Amino acid sequence: MLKAVAQKSSNSLVFQTLPRHMRRRAMSHNVKRLPRRLQEMAKKEAEKAAHQKKEQSKNKCHKARRCHLNRTLEFNRRQKRNIWLETHIWHAKRFHMVKKWGYCLGERPTTKSHRACYRAMTNLCLLQDLSYYCCLELKGKEEEILKALSQMCSTDTGLTFAAVHCLSGKRQGSVMLYQANKYPRDMLGPVTFVWKSKTTPGDSSEDRQLWIWLHPTLKLAVLEEMKTTCQCSEPVTSSVCVPDPLLTPAQEESQPELTDDKIGKKRKRKDNEKSAQRTKKTIGDGTRDPCQPRSWVSPTTGIVISDLTMEMNRFRLIGPLSHCILTSALRAAPLHTGEEDAEETPHHWWTDTSKSSDGVFLHQRQEAVFQLLGGISSPAEIPAGSILGLTVRDPRVNLPPQRSRALPHLERYRDDEQVRQLLQEGVPLECTHSFIWNQEICSSVTENKIPDQDLNRMRSELLVPGSQLVLGPRESKIPILLIQQPGKVTGKDRLGWGSGWDVLLPKGWGMAFWIPFIFRGARVGGLKEATVHSQYRRSPNIPGDFPDCLAGVRFAEEQSKDLLEKYKRRPPAKRPNYVKLGTLAPFCCPWEQLTGDWESRVRASMPGAQDDPRRLEVPSVPGETCQPSNEAGISENQPTKPEVTGCEAHTGTEVVLGQGASENHAAATGSQLCVLRNRKLLRQLSAWCGPGSEARRAPCRGQQEELTRKACLSILDEFPRALVWVSLSLLRKGSPEPQTMICVPSEEDLLQLSQDQGYHGPRESKHSDPFKSLILKQKEKKKMEKRRNRELTAPEGLAAGAPTAGQKALTKGLWSGPLPGLTSHCSRLLLGFVTQGDFSMSVGCGEALGFVSVTGLLEMLSSQSAATRGLVLLRPPASLQYRFARLAIEV
Amino acid sequence: MAENREPRGAVEAELDPVEYTLRKRLPHRLPRRPNDIYVNMKTDFKAQLARCQKLLDGGSRGQSACAEIYIHGLGLAINRAINIALQLQAGSFGSLQVAANTSTVELVDELEPEIDSREPLTRIRNNSAIHIRVFRVTPK
């Protein structure tokens, strides 16, 4: 340490050079907190810094700002534009926060914890706050709901809302939503759903309740589509008339805030008095207008759709220790026994339940099942999507005095009939019941929460400090719902990785459960950890990996804009010249053009096989607005041009013949981009991709088709412009990054790979930069104009400057104008792009996920021999080196 | 854990592959003590051997040496577990002894339905496992 401090570099303060364990809080303010030897130096530094410090403009003194009332006001004001989660303050102290999708969300921890979070997911437990996920509730007759929703999903993509085990309420299901009757186009997004179980005591009516959970970016589109399909047009007025009592104060509080600008002492006191009764923390959605309708009813079908966004908290626990954490943090609620309790307790619903024998029996069964979980070492051992309802005690009461790690106990492990039944059949159907489905109970639970302050006071008044607090009947009982999340289920390796439990809580109780989970040893992750989780599970990330749905397109646009800005911030000499590297689209993936290119390429290669007018549609350039191309761009285009024109000329002759036959087909599929999600086709493709997999699979799957021209054509006919989700793992060196290009290897590459052990892949030759001279010319022109302007008078100069600015300036190192033929721009044919890619800590080599064109994939597979089938080349946008990777489609 | 490769022709013969997808679940496991080693077929053999040796010798960071370790192998990895134990014994100049136990492990296969009208099924499959105790004896 001495050495470190002695060699202090000039641009760090003394206390910054101390090793981490010797640092103390407020060291920068108080010199005396430093070791005595260093105090001298620090004093000098502090004096220096004091001069440089800017005078802060504050309208209130520190003490006033820290006052609880003012703080609540301020917090309520700040969450008016972006919704804060209940754990916001906790996160804001420890995370890099981002404003996304109308929320303030923690992106990644400020500590260096990438690997630690991965370890938590694999061996321990990672906690995430997913309360920003939106919940839509559908209430109505089962047949009506199913009839309406069946238009929005297809049985081709897997199970739908009507799957038997989901419909009974036993399991959570997941489904891809499309616009009504538009499958396979017009994707809306992936959702998960939970049906309320039928066998609920005291619920005799036939109305079913369905919760659909989805990402906030998808909500608007899904809600609108659902309203149309269910014909729910009339907003329900009852919920508007009774606005949430907790929401209204937030609205009123805007008035005192405005007056705070001029601080008069009188006014201040008045404010305090006024808001003393009504200042309440905003719980739930602070941005929403209370008069806005949140539920809609259908006059014909009787379905009620309501938007339950921010009405519940959703915490996700990932990893094998999540069982230990759950069982040690949560305790089943004690039953109310005595009659005298009835007067004391505010929790009448629980007293009622305790009186009915059915309720007691059910509660005891749920508790028994929950206790069994403690003896199961991983959530992956329980059937996927199992649901367990429970009523628990206030978890703040049995909070351990210190943060510790809940470890599995060997005594809890049992190997008897009960455990076996749980593992095989999952949680029994009746145990899925939870009071969280009941809105009234939930709101009463939220209202009757004992504030942290009161609880702490009661704790401090205990006769024996540190002993258990006994609240008796006043203690809150919280209904919760536990949903098992399956980890990695596809593929062959690392099965069950990343499985865990989701905990649904009524609103207002977020922090009360958050801290106990952390005190049992859960590590918290943010949005970045969520992407890592989905990447290692090889599942598409919402919304980035859904290029065919609106949210995905918007996400890609934003991402490309960010990346472009970041790129432009660097000096031209210090950034890669993408034109020279042969990277046409380094920031976005032009899916439309890619699939279009492949379509026309395949058509050109097999004349007369099939033709339809779709081919004529020149691939449109998505996203970018293009200026008319310049001479250089055209000259660059020339090598690819003859091919395109040849193809077009060819079509011209046969359009008339093919038109009639393919017209209906074109109407069915269109030229629009779609992602292949048909499970049957995916399974077929995945069988074709693996090397020699056909031979191994042949005995068990008799009707697996061979990879023939005919089979390919049948797929291409149905999906002319489709993408397919693939996973890639690097054979040797290399770690891919997003926007990495997936290319088709040539035969020489494969030959060399088989011969040479140390062969990493071919290299792309450098491209010429046709824009360089143009940029130079532009610069000169600008200079000339400037000179001319200087000669002219000032106001005229301003006017002359405008038109040059209006013309889009060329950026050095980026392709401007419309992109030329994407697929054949480089020496290897382009197949697709990577959307997520990194060095994988679980496999120990580079891994990537992305989309490839189905047309291109089939073309490549049919030309490769069985031994090398599925090998592709990857090239990052800023590199000339290709690397070999194996492509796989996991179903 | 070893990947459990068993002839599954018999299992799948009676089920329509169109209606169900087979998903294998990981074996039920107990919490691991520090001296338990689960052998798999994916990690390099030498690395696994070195890991066992290190546990027996005591680590470099002053960890105390274990007097005994347990090597577990399931299915295909049984061979490898035996191999590791015997290699340890051979390389110890008689200071290590082995004692083996065999057992049967129940594995759960999940059959996920592909069509809405089917319930998910599970079936139990048995696989053999070996647990080898490698322990130190004082050489005579």
Side-chain angles (χ1 to χ4, degrees):
Chain A
M1 183 214 89
L2 267 179
K3 214 191 272 171
V5 175
Q7 296 168 347
K8 192 176 78 71
S9 65
S10 58
N11 55 0
S12 64
L13 299 174
V14 169
F15 63 89
Q16 285 170 333
T17 54
L18 278 173
R20 206 165 269 276
H21 69 278
M22 291 187 71
R23 296 194 193 165
R24 294 292 176 269
R25 200 174 62 83
M27 233 178 199
S28 58
H29 294 292
N30 192 348
V31 182
K32 291 201 173 151
R33 291 182 198 241
L34 278 159
R36 190 161 290 171
R37 282 173 292 101
L38 304 175
Q39 286 181 3
E40 198 85 349
M41 260 202 278
K43 215 180 267 174
K44 262 183 229 162
E45 269 175 6
E47 277 165 17
K48 219 192 286 171
H51 293 298
Q52 295 165 354
K53 226 181 215 171
K54 255 195 287 178
E55 192 54 49
Q56 272 184 325
S57 62
K58 290 163 194 160
N59 50 8
K60 273 182 192 168
C61 68
H62 177 78
K63 206 174 166 189
R65 269 185 286 125
R66 298 292 296 181
C67 156
H68 178 73
L69 201 76
N70 291 340
R71 245 153 69 105
T72 318
L73 279 177
E74 181 67 12
F75 288 162
N76 284 342
R77 182 188 64 80
R78 272 157 54 188
Q79 52 184 310
K80 249 176 220 156
R81 195 156 306 152
N82 286 296
I83 305 175
W84 281 9
L85 305 185
E86 283 172 29
T87 54
H88 176 85
I89 303 218
W90 189 93
H91 272 101
K93 288 174 185 169
R94 296 161 180 87
F95 276 68
H96 294 286
M97 304 299 285
V98 286
K99 293 196 171 76
K100 249 186 182 175
W101 316 314
Y103 295 85
C104 281
L105 301 173
E107 201 205 359
R108 57 180 203 280
T110 47
T111 53
K112 196 170 156 183
S113 61
H114 182 66
R115 195 171 287 259
C117 286
Y118 165 71
R119 283 197 186 126
M121 275 188 255
T122 330
N123 304 322
L124 310 168
C125 178
L126 188 85
L127 178 63
Q128 282 178 325
D129 191 355
L130 291 189
S131 307
Y132 62 90
Y133 265 63
C134 302
C135 179
L136 300 178
E137 186 188 62
L138 266 73
K139 255 187 202 171
K141 294 238 167 55
E142 185 182 305
E143 310 89 65
E144 296 283 352
I145 294 181
L146 284 180
K147 208 175 91 191
L149 291 181
S150 64
Q151 303 166 24
M152 293 177 65
C153 46
S154 164
T155 46
D156 285 354
T157 60
L159 300 178
T160 63
F161 289 102
V164 185
H165 53 290
C166 300
L167 192 60
S168 65
K170 203 176 172 190
R171 307 276 177 88
Q172 174 191 250
S174 65
V175 74
M176 298 282 173
L177 288 188
Y178 290 83
Q179 281 194 2
N181 304 320
K182 288 264 182 79
Y183 173 82
R185 288 175 299 139
D186 290 325
M187 162 91 178
L188 287 175
V191 297
T192 57
F193 62 91
V194 184
W195 284 94
K196 186 185 179 186
S197 59
K198 255 182 235 172
T199 53
T200 308
D203 185 17
S204 52
S205 65
E206 279 179 39
D207 269 12
R208 295 293 305 267
Q209 217 170 329
L210 168 70
W211 277 350
I212 296 174
W213 285 87
L214 66 168
H215 196 269
T217 48
L218 314 170
K219 184 178 123 184
L220 213 63
V222 171
L223 185 61
E224 285 309 311
E225 188 61 28
M226 228 165 242
K227 275 199 272 184
T228 0
T229 48
C230 300
Q231 300 158 14
C232 295
S233 47
E234 294 175 17
V236 178
T237 43
S238 63
S239 75
V240 181
C241 287
V242 193
D244 202 325
L246 294 169
L247 283 175
T248 34
Q251 295 292 324
E252 289 168 26
E253 273 153 26
S254 57
Q255 290 167 340
E257 264 312 302
L258 289 172
T259 54
D260 272 350
D261 293 359
K262 334 155 216 167
I263 311 162
K265 251 199 178 155
K266 236 192 280 169
R267 178 165 289 154
K268 202 168 164 192
R269 199 170 298 145
K270 218 166 66 190
D271 276 351
N272 286 354
E273 282 162 18
K274 260 201 292 180
S275 44
Q277 327 110 22
R278 66 161 187 234
T279 303
K280 244 184 198 172
K281 229 168 42 185
T282 308
I283 304 172
D285 191 347
T287 57
R288 193 205 294 267
D289 184 7
C291 305
Q292 216 176 325
R294 18 168 104 186
S295 53
W296 299 266
V297 71
S298 155
T300 50
T301 54
I303 301 176
V304 185
I305 298 181
S306 22
D307 177 7
L308 295 187
T309 307
M310 296 302 289
E311 291 296 298
M312 269 174 288
N313 279 302
R314 189 182 179 116
F315 293 160
R316 178 164 289 176
L317 295 150
I318 302 166
L321 277 196
S322 47
H323 280 159
C324 301
I325 288 177
L326 278 177
T327 44
S328 60
L330 308 179
R331 299 277 153 83
L335 295 163
H336 284 185
T337 44
E339 264 76 53
E340 73 282 354
D341 290 349
E343 288 92 61
E344 273 182 64
T345 178
H347 313 291
H348 294 292
W349 61 275
W350 186 243
T351 319
D352 295 344
T353 318
S354 309
K355 273 176 195 154
S356 76
S357 59
D358 283 349
V360 172
F361 178 67
L362 188 61
H363 180 68
Q364 278 162 351
R365 275 203 72 179
Q366 287 178 339
E367 188 182 348
V369 172
F370 182 66
Q371 287 308 322
L372 282 183
L373 286 185
I376 294 167
S377 58
S378 162
E381 290 176 28
I382 291 171
S386 297
I387 296 171
L388 173 64
L390 200 63
T391 310
V392 295
R393 293 175 60 179
D394 191 339
R396 292 172 295 175
V397 172
N398 53 4
L399 194 69
Q402 263 187 339
R403 191 179 160 181
S404 59
R405 181 175 287 170
L407 287 171
H409 289 293
L410 206 56
E411 311 91 71
R412 281 202 175 157
Y413 284 76
R414 296 189 312 187
D415 193 24
D416 55 7
E417 200 49 48
Q418 278 178 314
V419 175
R420 197 172 303 169
Q421 201 176 358
L422 179 65
L423 294 186
Q424 277 183 42
E425 276 144 43
V427 180
L429 180 59
E430 56 270 25
C431 290
T432 59
H433 165 259
S434 168
F435 289 105
I436 201 171
W437 289 94
N438 190 329
Q439 289 286 312
E440 283 105 61
I441 290 180
C442 269
S443 55
S444 104
V445 166
T446 309
E447 279 166 45
N448 292 322
K449 181 188 172 192
I450 305 174
D452 277 355
Q453 198 188 5
D454 296 0
L455 203 75
N456 288 339
R457 204 197 53 241
M458 281 189 262
R459 207 177 270 152
S460 71
E461 284 166 2
L462 278 176
L463 284 178
V464 184
S467 62
Q468 188 80 24
L469 188 65
V470 183
L471 289 172
R474 276 179 306 155
E475 186 180 333
S476 303
K477 286 27 174 218
I478 306 110
I480 61 168
L481 200 64
L482 298 165
I483 305 174
Q484 197 262 7
Q485 296 296 322
K488 189 174 179 302
V489 284
T490 57
K492 288 212 173 90
D493 55 336
R494 292 187 288 124
L495 286 178
W497 187 92
S499 55
W501 286 88
D502 274 13
V503 187
L504 301 190
L505 314 166
K507 70 175 171 186
W509 281 91
M511 277 318 280
F513 280 78
W514 188 255
I515 296 293
F517 285 152
I518 291 167
F519 266 55
R520 260 70 179 206
R523 179 176 270 277
V524 181
L527 292 176
K528 204 195 91 198
E529 277 66 39
T531 10
V532 170
H533 183 227
S534 76
Q535 187 182 336
Y536 285 4
R537 274 170 58 211
R538 304 211 184 114
S539 62
N541 183 26
I542 313 170
D545 293 335
F546 290 87
D548 53 342
C549 90
L550 195 66
V553 173
R554 212 168 284 157
F555 178 85
E557 273 170 23
E558 264 166 44
Q559 198 187 25
S560 72
K561 214 164 64 185
D562 287 349
L563 287 173
L564 182 66
E565 260 169 37
K566 209 173 167 193
Y567 179 78
K568 278 184 175 169
R569 276 204 297 267
R570 289 180 157 264
K574 298 281 183 284
R575 63 194 188 195
N577 185 338
Y578 286 121
V579 180
K580 277 194 177 172
L581 289 165
T583 312
L584 287 180
F587 306 132
C588 63
C589 310
W591 302 118
E592 304 245 349
Q593 200 184 348
L594 178 82
T595 47
D597 272 14
W598 268 107
E599 196 192 4
S600 52
R601 169 176 275 277
V602 168
R603 289 279 152 70
S605 67
M606 41 177 180
Q610 56 167 164
D611 280 288
D612 50 23
R614 273 170 286 148
R615 176 162 34 151
L616 273 178
E617 287 162 29
V618 178
S620 58
V621 183
E624 289 174 47
T625 50
C626 320
Q627 64 172 64
S629 72
N630 34 53
E631 317 99 47
I634 288 167
S635 71
E636 186 66 21
N637 274 349
Q638 239 134 38
T640 58
K641 200 117 196 210
E643 194 190 303
V644 176
T645 46
C647 146
E648 272 172 19
H650 180 79
T651 9
T653 57
E654 283 185 6
V655 160
V656 192
L657 299 172
Q659 208 156 23
S662 54
E663 207 165 348
N664 55 347
H665 196 75
T669 53
S671 61
Q672 215 178 335
L673 182 75
C674 70
V675 174
L676 193 66
R677 293 203 175 84
N678 186 333
R679 288 179 64 85
K680 231 186 242 165
L681 290 181
L682 282 177
R683 216 172 290 142
Q684 205 165 54
L685 275 179
S686 94
W688 289 341
C689 280
S693 59
E694 283 161 82
R696 213 192 319 143
R697 287 234 177 141
C700 55
R701 301 205 169 226
Q703 67 265 64
Q704 198 65 255
E705 265 185 88
E706 285 285 304
L707 174 57
T708 54
R709 200 95 223 161
K710 207 174 146 200
C712 290
L713 277 180
S714 71
I715 293 182
L716 293 186
D717 207 28
E718 216 173 329
F719 299 97
R721 288 190 179 186
L723 295 172
V724 64
W725 176 249
V726 294
S727 68
L728 305 144
S729 66
L730 272 287
L731 281 193
R732 285 166 191 175
K733 269 174 95 168
S735 113
E737 51 192 79
Q739 271 84 39
T740 292
M741 288 164 279
I742 307 172
C743 303
V744 183
S746 67
E747 286 189 10
E748 300 90 71
D749 298 338
L750 295 174
L751 195 69
Q752 207 167 349
L753 178 74
S754 59
Q755 285 167 353
D756 189 358
Q757 275 289 318
Y759 184 61
H760 293 309
R763 277 180 75 85
E764 174 79 23
S765 53
K766 249 188 199 170
H767 293 230
S768 66
D769 187 351
F771 301 107
K772 207 170 178 181
S773 55
L774 268 179
I775 290 174
L776 281 179
K777 250 185 231 167
Q778 241 181 25
K779 254 188 197 168
E780 267 172 37
K781 221 190 254 171
K782 247 186 205 167
K783 262 187 202 166
M784 292 277 280
E785 263 170 29
K786 256 189 191 167
R787 218 171 287 161
R788 220 179 297 151
N789 287 348
R790 232 174 275 156
E791 289 161 16
L792 293 170
T793 50
E796 261 178 297
L798 273 177
T804 47
Q807 197 184 5
K808 197 177 147 197
L810 293 171
T811 317
K812 198 184 166 210
L814 282 186
W815 195 276
S816 60
L819 304 179
L822 254 186
T823 49
S824 50
H825 183 71
C826 298
S827 60
R828 305 292 183 281
L829 287 179
L830 184 69
L831 203 61
F833 292 99
V834 165
T835 57
Q836 305 176 42
D838 199 358
F839 181 83
S840 167
M841 284 188 275
S842 53
V843 187
C845 67
E847 275 208 317
L849 300 166
F851 287 100
V852 295
S853 155
V854 175
T855 325
L857 180 70
L858 286 175
E859 193 71 5
M860 184 191 85
L861 290 179
S862 53
S863 65
Q864 281 177 335
S865 67
T868 59
R869 194 166 282 170
L871 285 183
V872 290
L873 289 172
L874 295 187
R875 183 165 74 95
S879 158
L880 288 173
Q881 178 75 48
Y882 288 96
R883 306 268 185 202
F884 281 102
R886 182 167 292 289
L887 180 143
I889 296 173
E890 292 180 344
V891 192
Chain B
M1 278 287 136
E3 284 166 73
N4 314 295
R5 289 178 201 162
E6 282 210 335
R8 31 186 177 112
V11 179
E12 276 193 21
E14 41 195 292
L15 282 163
D16 192 355
V18 177
E19 290 179 2
Y20 285 103
T21 323
L22 179 80
R23 300 229 190 268
K24 289 177 178 176
R25 240 191 258 161
L26 290 183
H28 183 60
R29 63 198 289 183
L30 296 169
R32 235 178 60 183
R33 291 162 298 179
N35 60 346
D36 273 325
I37 286 191
Y38 286 86
V39 174
N40 66 10
M41 293 306 286
K42 231 180 264 165
T43 314
D44 183 41
F45 176 80
K46 257 188 161 170
Q48 299 192 35
L49 184 66
R51 195 168 146 218
C52 298
Q53 193 70 56
K54 211 171 170 185
L55 271 182
L56 286 167
D57 295 345
S60 54
R61 278 188 239 154
Q63 291 159 345
S64 57
C66 297
E68 52 174 12
I69 60 170
Y70 291 87
I71 301 173
H72 308 268
L74 175 69
L76 190 65
I78 292 178
N79 253 343
R80 187 172 264 201
I82 295 172
N83 205 346
I84 286 178
L86 292 179
Q87 292 271 332
L88 285 173
Q89 196 189 15
S92 68
F93 306 108
S95 68
L96 289 177
Q97 282 291 324
V98 294
N101 266 325
T102 56
S103 70
T104 305
V105 174
E106 281 188 350
L107 300 168
V108 181
D109 282 345
E110 228 172 313
L111 289 162
E112 221 174 65
E114 287 285 318
I115 41 179
D116 286 342
S117 53
R118 296 287 176 146
E119 285 264 9
L121 297 175
T122 48
R123 44 186 63 214
I124 297 273
R125 177 163 54 88
N126 288 326
N127 207 344
S128 19
I130 195 164
H131 316 277
I132 310 172
R133 177 169 161 248
V134 182
F135 54 100
R136 239 170 235 295
V137 284
T138 43
K140 284 157 202 166

